[in-house]
Coordinates of all heavy atoms in Angstrom, one line a residue:
F28 N 0.8 -1.3 0.0 CA 0.1 0.0 0.0 C 0.9 1.3 0.0 O 0.6 2.2 -0.7 CB -0.9 0.0 1.3 CG -1.7 1.2 1.4 CD1 -2.9 1.4 0.7 CD2 -1.3 2.3 2.2 CE1 -3.7 2.6 0.8 CE2 -2.0 3.4 2.4 CZ -3.2 3.6 1.7
G29 N 1.9 1.3 0.8 CA 2.8 2.5 1.0 C 3.5 2.7 -0.3 O 3.7 3.9 -0.8
L30 N 4.1 1.7 -0.9 CA 4.9 1.8 -2.1 C 4.1 2.2 -3.3 O 4.6 2.7 -4.3 CB 5.7 0.5 -2.4 CG 6.8 0.2 -1.3 CD1 7.3 -1.2 -1.7 CD2 7.8 1.2 -1.3
D31 N 2.7 1.8 -3.3 CA 1.9 2.1 -4.5 C 1.8 3.6 -4.8 O 1.7 4.0 -6.0 CB 0.5 1.6 -4.1 CG 0.2 0.3 -4.9 OD1 1.1 -0.2 -5.6 OD2 -0.9 -0.2 -4.8
K32 N 1.9 4.4 -3.8 CA 1.9 5.8 -4.0 C 3.0 6.3 -5.0 O 2.8 7.1 -5.9 CB 2.1 6.6 -2.6 CG 2.1 8.1 -2.9 CD 2.2 8.8 -1.5 CE 2.2 10.4 -1.9 NZ 2.4 11.2 -0.6
R33 N 4.1 5.7 -4.8 CA 5.3 6.2 -5.7 C 5.1 5.3 -7.0 O 5.4 5.9 -8.1 CB 6.6 5.8 -5.0 CG 7.9 6.2 -5.9 CD 9.1 5.8 -5.2 NE 9.2 4.3 -5.0 CZ 9.9 3.7 -4.1 NH1 10.6 4.4 -3.2 NH2 9.9 2.3 -4.0
E34 N 4.9 4.1 -6.9 CA 4.9 3.3 -8.2 C 3.8 3.4 -9.2 O 3.9 3.1 -10.3 CB 4.9 1.8 -7.7 CG 6.1 1.3 -6.8 CD 7.4 1.7 -7.3 OE1 7.6 1.5 -8.6 OE2 8.3 2.1 -6.6
T35 N 2.7 4.0 -8.8 CA 1.6 4.3 -9.6 C 1.5 5.8 -10.2 O 0.5 6.1 -10.8 CB 0.2 4.0 -8.9 OG1 0.1 4.8 -7.7 CG2 0.2 2.5 -8.5
L36 N 2.6 6.5 -9.9 CA 2.6 8.0 -10.5 C 2.6 7.9 -12.0 O 3.4 7.1 -12.6 CB 3.9 8.7 -10.0 CG 3.8 9.3 -8.7 CD1 5.2 10.0 -8.3 CD2 2.7 10.4 -8.7
P37 N 1.8 8.6 -12.6 CA 1.7 8.7 -14.0 C 3.1 9.4 -14.5 O 3.7 10.1 -13.8 CB 0.5 9.5 -14.4 CG 0.2 10.3 -13.1 CD 0.7 9.4 -12.0
R38 N 3.3 9.1 -15.8 CA 4.5 9.8 -16.4 C 4.6 11.3 -16.2 O 5.6 11.9 -16.0 CB 4.6 9.3 -17.8 CG 5.9 9.9 -18.5 CD 6.0 9.3 -20.0 NE 7.1 9.9 -20.7 CZ 7.5 9.7 -21.9 NH1 6.7 8.9 -22.6 NH2 8.5 10.2 -22.4
Y39 N 3.4 11.9 -16.4 CA 3.3 13.3 -16.2 C 3.8 13.8 -15.0 O 4.5 14.9 -14.8 CB 1.9 13.7 -16.5 CG 1.5 15.2 -16.4 CD1 1.8 16.0 -17.5 CD2 1.0 15.8 -15.3 CE1 1.5 17.4 -17.5 CE2 0.7 17.2 -15.2 CZ 1.0 17.9 -16.3 OH 0.7 19.3 -16.3
C40 N 3.6 13.1 -13.9 CA 4.0 13.4 -12.6 C 5.5 13.1 -12.4 O 6.3 13.9 -11.8 CB 3.2 12.7 -11.5 SG 1.5 13.2 -11.3
R41 N 5.9 12.0 -12.9 CA 7.3 11.6 -12.7 C 8.3 12.5 -13.4 O 9.4 12.7 -13.0 CB 7.5 10.2 -13.4 CG 6.8 9.1 -12.6 CD 7.3 7.7 -12.9 NE 7.3 7.4 -14.4 CZ 6.3 6.8 -15.0 NH1 5.2 6.5 -14.3 NH2 6.4 6.6 -16.3
E42 N 7.9 13.3 -14.4 CA 8.7 14.2 -15.2 C 8.4 15.6 -14.8 O 9.0 16.6 -15.3 CB 8.4 14.0 -16.7 CG 8.8 12.7 -17.2 CD 8.5 12.5 -18.7 OE1 7.9 13.4 -19.3 OE2 8.9 11.5 -19.3
C43 N 7.6 15.8 -13.8 CA 7.2 17.2 -13.4 C 8.3 17.8 -12.5 O 9.1 17.2 -11.6 CB 6.0 17.2 -12.5 SG 5.5 18.8 -11.8
E44 N 8.6 19.1 -12.8 CA 9.7 19.9 -12.1 C 9.4 20.0 -10.5 O 10.4 20.4 -9.8 CB 9.9 21.2 -12.8 CG 8.7 22.1 -12.7 CD 9.0 23.3 -13.5 OE1 9.9 24.1 -13.3 OE2 8.1 23.7 -14.4
V45 N 8.2 20.0 -10.1 CA 8.0 20.1 -8.7 C 7.6 18.8 -8.0 O 7.0 18.8 -6.9 CB 6.8 21.2 -8.4 CG1 7.3 22.5 -8.9 CG2 5.5 20.8 -9.1
R46 N 7.9 17.7 -8.7 CA 7.6 16.5 -8.1 C 8.2 16.3 -6.7 O 7.7 15.6 -5.8 CB 7.9 15.3 -9.0 CG 7.8 13.9 -8.3 CD 8.4 12.8 -9.0 NE 8.4 11.6 -8.3 CZ 8.9 10.3 -8.7 NH1 9.4 10.3 -9.8 NH2 8.8 9.3 -7.9
F47 N 9.4 16.8 -6.6 CA 10.2 16.6 -5.3 C 9.4 17.2 -4.1 O 9.6 16.9 -2.9 CB 11.5 17.3 -5.4 CG 11.5 18.9 -5.3 CD1 11.7 19.5 -4.2 CD2 11.2 19.6 -6.5 CE1 11.7 20.9 -4.2 CE2 11.1 21.0 -6.5 CZ 11.4 21.6 -5.3
A48 N 8.5 18.1 -4.3 CA 7.8 18.8 -3.4 C 6.3 18.3 -3.2 O 5.7 18.2 -2.0 CB 7.6 20.4 -3.6
C49 N 5.8 17.7 -4.3 CA 4.4 17.1 -4.2 C 4.3 15.7 -4.2 O 3.5 15.1 -3.4 CB 3.8 17.6 -5.5 SG 2.1 17.0 -5.8
N50 N 5.2 15.0 -5.0 CA 5.1 13.5 -5.1 C 3.7 13.0 -5.3 O 3.3 11.9 -4.9 CB 5.7 12.9 -3.8 CG 7.2 13.0 -3.7 OD1 7.9 12.6 -4.6 ND2 7.7 13.6 -2.6
G51 N 2.9 13.8 -6.1 CA 1.5 13.3 -6.5 C 0.5 13.5 -5.4 O -0.7 13.2 -5.5
E52 N 1.0 14.1 -4.2 CA 0.1 14.3 -3.1 C -0.7 13.0 -2.8 O -0.2 11.9 -3.0 CB -0.9 15.5 -3.4 CG -1.3 16.3 -2.2 CD -2.8 16.1 -1.8 OE1 -3.5 15.5 -2.5 OE2 -3.2 16.7 -0.9
C53 N -1.8 13.1 -2.1 CA -2.5 11.9 -1.6 C -3.2 11.1 -2.7 O -3.8 11.6 -3.6 CB -3.6 12.3 -0.6 SG -4.5 10.9 0.1
P54 N -2.9 9.7 -2.7 CA -3.4 8.9 -3.8 C -5.0 8.9 -3.8 O -5.6 8.8 -4.9 CB -3.0 7.5 -3.4 CG -1.7 7.8 -2.7 CD -2.0 9.0 -1.9
K55 N -5.6 9.4 -2.7 CA -7.1 9.3 -2.8 C -7.6 10.5 -3.7 O -8.7 10.4 -4.2 CB -7.6 9.7 -1.4 CG -9.1 9.6 -1.3 CD -9.6 9.7 0.1 CE -11.2 9.5 0.1 NZ -11.7 9.6 1.5
H56 N -6.8 11.5 -4.0 CA -7.2 12.6 -4.9 C -6.7 12.5 -6.3 O -6.8 13.4 -7.1 CB -6.5 13.9 -4.3 CG -7.0 14.2 -2.8 ND1 -6.2 14.9 -1.9 CD2 -8.1 13.8 -2.2 CE1 -6.9 15.0 -0.9 NE2 -8.0 14.3 -0.9
R57 N -6.1 11.3 -6.6 CA -5.6 11.0 -8.0 C -6.7 10.4 -8.9 O -6.7 9.2 -9.1 CB -4.5 10.1 -7.9 CG -3.2 10.7 -7.2 CD -2.1 9.7 -7.2 NE -0.9 10.1 -6.4 CZ 0.1 9.3 -6.2 NH1 0.2 8.1 -6.8 NH2 1.1 9.8 -5.4
F58 N -7.7 11.2 -9.2 CA -8.8 10.6 -10.0 C -9.1 11.4 -11.3 O -10.2 11.2 -11.8 CB -10.0 10.6 -9.1 CG -10.5 11.8 -8.5 CD1 -11.1 12.8 -9.1 CD2 -10.1 12.1 -7.1 CE1 -11.5 13.9 -8.6 CE2 -10.5 13.3 -6.5 CZ -11.2 14.2 -7.3
I59 N -8.2 12.1 -11.8 CA -8.4 12.7 -13.1 C -7.2 12.4 -14.1 O -6.2 11.8 -13.7 CB -8.5 14.3 -13.0 CG1 -7.1 14.9 -12.6 CG2 -9.6 14.7 -12.1 CD1 -7.1 16.4 -12.7
P60 N -7.5 12.4 -15.4 CA -6.4 12.0 -16.3 C -5.4 13.2 -16.5 O -5.7 14.3 -16.4 CB -7.2 11.8 -17.6 CG -8.4 12.7 -17.4 CD -8.8 12.7 -16.1
T61 N -4.2 12.7 -16.9 CA -3.2 13.7 -17.2 C -3.5 14.3 -18.6 O -4.4 13.8 -19.4 CB -1.8 13.0 -17.3 OG1 -1.8 12.1 -18.4 CG2 -1.5 12.3 -16.1
P62 N -2.7 15.4 -19.0 CA -3.0 16.0 -20.3 C -2.9 15.0 -21.5 O -3.5 15.2 -22.5 CB -1.9 17.1 -20.3 CG -1.7 17.5 -18.9 CD -1.8 16.3 -18.1
D63 N -2.1 14.0 -21.3 CA -1.9 13.1 -22.4 C -2.8 11.8 -22.2 O -2.7 10.8 -22.9 CB -0.5 12.5 -22.5 CG 0.1 12.0 -21.2 OD1 -0.6 11.8 -20.3 OD2 1.3 11.7 -21.3
G64 N -3.8 11.9 -21.3 CA -4.8 10.8 -21.1 C -4.5 9.8 -20.2 O -5.3 8.8 -20.0
E65 N -3.3 9.7 -19.5 CA -3.0 8.6 -18.6 C -3.8 8.9 -17.2 O -4.0 10.1 -16.8 CB -1.6 8.6 -18.3 CG -1.1 7.5 -17.5 CD 0.4 7.5 -17.2 OE1 1.1 8.3 -17.7 OE2 0.9 6.5 -16.5
E66 N -4.3 7.9 -16.6 CA -5.1 8.0 -15.4 C -4.1 8.2 -14.2 O -3.0 7.9 -14.3 CB -6.0 6.7 -15.2 CG -7.0 6.5 -16.3 CD -8.0 7.6 -16.2 OE1 -8.3 8.2 -15.1 OE2 -8.6 8.0 -17.2

């Protein structure tokens, strides 16, 4: 469960310049698609 937060980040997040500060925030709030359509 804990590792899923990092491992399920979409590519848009992994390549983001502020990922170091955000890390995708809470997985519960990850429910919209990225600009390129990834969930």
Side-chain angles (χ1 to χ4, degrees):
F28 174 84
L30 292 176
D31 257 1
K32 180 180 181 182
R33 181 184 64 203
E34 301 304 319
T35 59
L36 273 179
R38 181 177 178 180
Y39 182 79
C40 292
R41 295 196 303 269
E42 297 177 351
C43 179
E44 61 187 307
V45 295
R46 177 192 170 178
F47 74 98
C49 173
N50 286 307
E52 210 245 3
C53 182
K55 188 176 184 181
H56 302 151
R57 299 179 186 174
F58 54 79
I59 63 172
T61 65
D63 56 6
E65 188 177 0
E66 293 297 327

